[in-house]
Amino acid sequence: MASSKPIPYGPCQKAAVNVKAGIWCYNCDEGLCSTCLKHHKQFKGTHYHKTIDIKSYKPSIGAIKTECDKHGQQFNLYCPSHLMPCCDVCISMNHAKCTGIKSLASVVENTKIEKSKEIVERDINYILYFLNRLGRKTSKNIRTGENQNISIKKSIREIRKEIDKHLDHLENKLCQEADTIWNQEKSKAKEFISVVKEKMKTMKEMKEHLQTVTTLTSKLQSFLGVHQIEQRVHQCQGYVDDLENDERTNEFDIRMKQNDEIEKTLSKLVSIESFGEVMVVRTETDLNRVTSVRSAAQVESQEQSNINNMTMNIETKIEINMKRFIRDMICLMDGRIIVVEQNGKVHLLSPDGKHEKQLKILVGANSVTQINHNTIAIAYPSEKTITTFNMENERFTNVLTLQKECTCLSFSNDYLAIGLNQDEICITDLEGNTMKIIQVQNLSNMCNLVYCNDRVIYSNCDGNAVYCYDGSGNKIWQYTQDLLGPEGLCTDTYGNTIVADHGSHRIIVISKDGQHSKVLISMEDGLTSPQCISFKHNESSGFICNYAGTYLTKFNLFYG
């Protein structure tokens, strides 16, 4: 839609030539005439610029910056480690140690803009939905608070009125209630005793009759007599069995729950300064806010990388000396690390590997995944539960109860993927509502899984295999080549799977299609018994934890 406002244009205006602009350049953020456009397309620095007909230009759209704010130079490079465009000065000053620097033009060329637009639009819609819902909740809270304020004032007046009127009445009423309850219970107890005595009398009579029919009668009479007595005994036995559910058999205590304020009123009437206290009670509610773990929407999975060009090195080894068998490890968004002992404790480490504390979580955890900046989810196989835990206030926020043991879990796009026993992966929301069930076939329990882009990748240590399934339950690929106890898993931004192969002391990368693999580091590089592997948030570096929990290995991954 054309704008009624004047359209700014560049070269001709600077030369004091009053020519109407017919083209708009988004890169230069100015209008061009036909002559200027011709030169614009010929110059090396501007030939790739995005231009449109001036009638389609919308002035309301904010200017898109193509220059660096700090250094005033054009963006011409892209850092995949920090997921940001850079100028030459940025690279030399702030990204000298970053690997895989690419030309911005090649990244733009390979980026699927429409897919990126859909992702960003989805995020915008979610934020709008979230803020709109938050606004409605707050408005409703205001209306509720207004009604509560009126109710409080009404209650204060009623209290003042009723105290003077009912103090004597309350005493009489409570005494009458005590008499009534006691008389009722006493009557029921006496009635029950009478019934019991009657039954006992009947049983004694049958006992005496039993002796008579078996000693002073013929065999036929004895048989029939015993049979008839037996029938009556069975009836009485049924009565006794039914007493198990008869409340009359329960002991009872008659007690009074005294109102604490009454005692205070009677003992210290003159010291009471107020009927009560008006306060605001704030209840923390789950707003279901989800922080995107992957912010590389525009460049993620734009093409499958050639794993033959991938290399990994060991930067350093950090002693942690837990000396416990380790089951899981993740790098948090803030750089800290969580390490889970096998069916044991959960530890929080600083970004440099120093032990900060043991989280106040029940012993028996087996797997962990991050939900958002403050919340993690922990799987307890023996308890058949998954708990969400707020690390900031160290409180459990929710508990999901399962029907089977949960051996591993992963979180992506608002949903949890849960490995159940050997043959099932369950996809649920954070409230425990099952979205789908993926049936798999294993010889043993799943060790670790990664849920990303509607794919589930999991390792089977005893079966020496790694599997990949889509969200519909179809097996995409199965990898078994040269594996010897695959345990920990993670994926890079291209969708390749990084495997910690415990038995062979190697880190292996499997291509996104599962058809190719490469050993990245091995025992010859100083690696032993890798159990878990995790990337740092939005980085191509991360940590490996060994099985015995003695050290962390910090690695860097390069795409040559």
Side-chain angles (χ1 to χ4, degrees):
M1 182 177 70
S3 171
S4 59
K5 297 180 180 180
I7 304 298
Y9 54 93
C12 289
Q13 189 179 47
K14 294 181 177 66
V17 178
N18 188 15
V19 180
K20 185 177 180 180
I23 301 295
W24 179 263
C25 176
Y26 276 112
N27 298 74
C28 296
D29 194 31
E30 62 183 7
L32 304 171
C33 67
S34 57
T35 303
C36 292
L37 177 64
K38 180 179 179 181
H39 297 298
H40 204 69
K41 292 296 184 182
Q42 292 175 346
F43 290 148
K44 182 178 180 180
T46 58
H47 71 88
Y48 65 89
H49 283 193
K50 174 71 173 180
T51 58
I52 62 169
D53 188 277
I54 203 70
K55 295 179 180 179
S56 301
Y57 168 63
K58 298 179 180 179
S60 59
I61 300 177
I64 299 175
K65 297 180 179 179
T66 61
E67 293 183 352
C68 175
D69 288 337
K70 292 184 178 180
H71 309 116
Q73 294 190 11
Q74 284 286 328
F75 290 130
N76 60 349
L77 298 170
Y78 186 87
C79 175
S81 297
H82 292 89
L83 304 174
M84 61 185 298
C86 307
C87 69
D88 291 333
V89 181
C90 288
I91 294 296
S92 61
M93 293 183 63
N94 304 320
H95 302 269
K97 295 183 179 181
C98 296
T99 59
I101 302 297
K102 301 178 181 180
S103 72
L104 183 60
S106 66
V107 172
V108 171
E109 182 67 26
N110 293 321
T111 297
K112 298 178 180 178
I113 299 296
E114 195 60 34
K115 180 181 178 181
S116 301
K117 174 190 171 186
E118 291 177 1
I119 294 173
V120 174
E121 188 173 14
R122 181 196 64 193
D123 291 342
I124 291 172
N125 290 337
Y126 171 77
I127 294 172
L128 288 172
Y129 163 77
F130 170 76
L131 293 176
N132 183 50
R133 188 180 66 167
L134 188 61
R136 293 199 307 268
K137 279 176 71 77
T138 305
S139 297
K140 181 180 178 181
N141 205 173
I142 291 173
R143 294 192 297 270
T144 302
E146 180 67 27
N147 293 332
Q148 289 170 339
N149 183 39
I150 296 171
S151 178
I152 288 172
K153 293 178 180 179
K154 182 179 178 181
S155 297
I156 292 172
R157 289 191 295 267
E158 290 178 350
I159 291 171
R160 179 66 181 88
K161 179 180 178 181
E162 294 299 321
I163 284 178
D164 293 337
K165 181 179 178 181
H166 285 292
L167 281 177
D168 291 336
H169 172 70
L170 290 176
E171 178 183 357
N172 294 332
K173 181 181 177 182
L174 193 57
C175 289
Q176 290 174 5
E177 288 179 1
D179 290 338
T180 300
I181 291 174
W182 163 237
N183 290 333
Q184 289 174 349
E185 294 300 320
K186 180 171 64 173
S187 177
K188 287 190 288 187
K190 287 184 176 182
E191 180 182 352
F192 183 62
I193 290 173
S194 297
V195 174
V196 170
K197 286 182 177 179
E198 187 64 30
K199 294 293 182 182
M200 290 177 64
K201 180 181 178 181
T202 302
M203 294 304 297
K204 289 177 181 179
E205 289 175 354
M206 284 191 289
K207 183 177 180 181
E208 292 174 359
H209 188 45
L210 183 64
Q211 295 298 324
T212 302
V213 299
T214 56
T215 57
L216 302 176
T217 61
S218 67
K219 189 172 183 180
L220 175 60
Q221 290 174 325
S222 296
F223 173 81
L224 294 174
V226 170
H227 178 72
Q228 293 167 6
I229 293 173
E230 183 181 18
Q231 294 301 313
R232 295 178 64 191
V233 170
H234 285 169
Q235 292 176 358
C236 194
Q237 180 64 49
Y239 172 80
V240 172
D241 292 340
D242 291 339
L243 288 177
E244 182 177 349
N245 299 320
D246 194 327
E247 68 175 11
R248 295 177 298 175
T249 62
N250 299 332
E251 293 184 0
F252 63 85
D253 293 317
I254 299 177
R255 302 177 183 177
M256 183 189 76
K257 182 181 179 182
Q258 181 173 300
N259 189 321
D260 293 338
E261 292 300 323
I262 294 297
E263 183 178 357
K264 293 178 183 178
T265 302
L266 294 174
S267 60
K268 299 181 180 180
L269 184 60
V270 294
S271 66
I272 296 178
E273 299 178 354
S274 172
F275 289 147
E277 178 184 359
V278 179
M279 64 185 68
V280 178
V281 179
R282 300 191 183 277
T283 303
E284 183 177 348
T285 57
D286 184 6
L287 298 176
N288 291 325
R289 290 174 297 176
V290 178
T291 302
S292 176
V293 177
R294 299 273 184 184
S295 61
Q298 288 194 335
V299 296
E300 182 178 8
S301 300
Q302 49 188 301
E303 62 177 87
Q304 183 170 318
S305 69
N306 184 354
I307 65 172
N308 291 326
N309 297 328
M310 293 173 62
T311 58
M312 179 181 286
N313 71 357
I314 294 178
E315 179 178 320
T316 184
K317 281 190 174 182
I318 304 167
E319 291 187 7
I320 56 177
N321 291 321
M322 290 186 182
K323 297 181 180 178
R324 302 272 187 176
F325 293 144
I326 302 303
R327 182 61 183 82
D328 201 3
M329 176 198 70
I330 59 171
C331 295
L332 299 174
M333 298 174 186
D334 62 8
R336 293 183 295 177
I337 306 159
I338 286 184
V339 177
V340 181
E341 299 175 8
Q342 185 169 349
N343 296 316
K345 303 172 183 176
V346 180
H347 302 274
L348 182 64
L349 281 60
S350 66
D352 56 2
K354 294 181 180 179
H355 192 278
E356 286 192 1
K357 61 183 174 180
Q358 176 187 328
L359 296 181
K360 296 177 181 178
I361 294 175
L362 298 176
V363 173
N366 206 61
S367 183
V368 64
T369 188
Q370 187 165 20
I371 304 300
N372 55 42
H373 276 88
N374 294 324
T375 307
I376 59 175
I378 309 122
Y380 292 89
S382 60
E383 301 294 330
K384 297 181 181 179
T385 60
I386 292 174
T387 62
T388 52
F389 182 80
N390 187 300
M391 292 184 293
E392 186 174 2
N393 56 30
E394 296 196 72
R395 292 183 179 178
F396 291 104
T397 56
N398 196 14
V399 178
L400 307 184
T401 302
L402 308 170
Q403 300 300 316
K404 297 182 179 180
E405 290 188 0
C406 43
T407 57
C408 48
L409 71 162
S410 177
F411 180 78
S412 176
N413 292 334
D414 302 358
Y415 295 107
L416 282 169
I418 308 167
L420 300 175
N421 283 353
Q422 301 178 5
D423 57 357
E424 192 172 287
I425 297 174
C426 179
I427 309 298
T428 74
D429 62 17
L430 292 176
E431 300 300 321
N433 301 309
T434 300
M435 302 294 109
K436 64 182 73 173
I437 298 292
I438 300 174
Q439 297 293 337
V440 298
Q441 293 182 345
N442 285 325
L443 298 176
S444 61
N445 288 340
M446 287 169 267
C447 299
N448 203 309
L449 64 80
V450 174
Y451 181 44
C452 184
N453 296 327
D454 204 32
R455 282 187 171 193
V456 179
I457 304 168
Y458 68 91
S459 58
N460 185 329
C461 179
D462 294 338
N464 294 323
V466 175
Y467 300 87
C468 178
Y469 281 76
D470 65 19
S472 300
N474 302 310
K475 184 166 67 175
I476 301 175
W477 53 261
Q478 170 183 339
Y479 187 89
T480 58
Q481 180 180 338
D482 298 330
L483 292 178
L484 191 59
E487 292 276 359
L489 300 174
C490 61
T491 56
D492 67 4
T493 56
Y494 294 99
N496 302 309
T497 303
I498 317 296
V499 184
D501 197 39
H502 171 78
S504 67
H505 310 286
R506 301 181 302 173
I507 301 297
I508 299 171
V509 58
I510 302 172
S511 61
K512 183 178 180 179
D513 59 9
Q515 301 302 309
H516 307 283
S517 67
K518 179 182 179 180
V519 176
L520 295 176
I521 52 176
S522 62
M523 184 179 287
E524 287 74 16
D525 301 299
L527 184 72
T528 56
S529 303
Q531 177 71 11
C532 310
I533 184 167
S534 177
F535 279 109
K536 296 171 70 176
H537 182 54
N538 287 336
E539 294 189 26
S540 56
S541 61
F543 291 96
I544 303 165
C545 186
N546 71 327
Y547 179 63
T550 54
Y551 62 85
L552 291 177
T553 299
K554 185 176 182 181
F555 69 84
N556 295 301
L557 187 62
F558 303 96
Y559 299 88

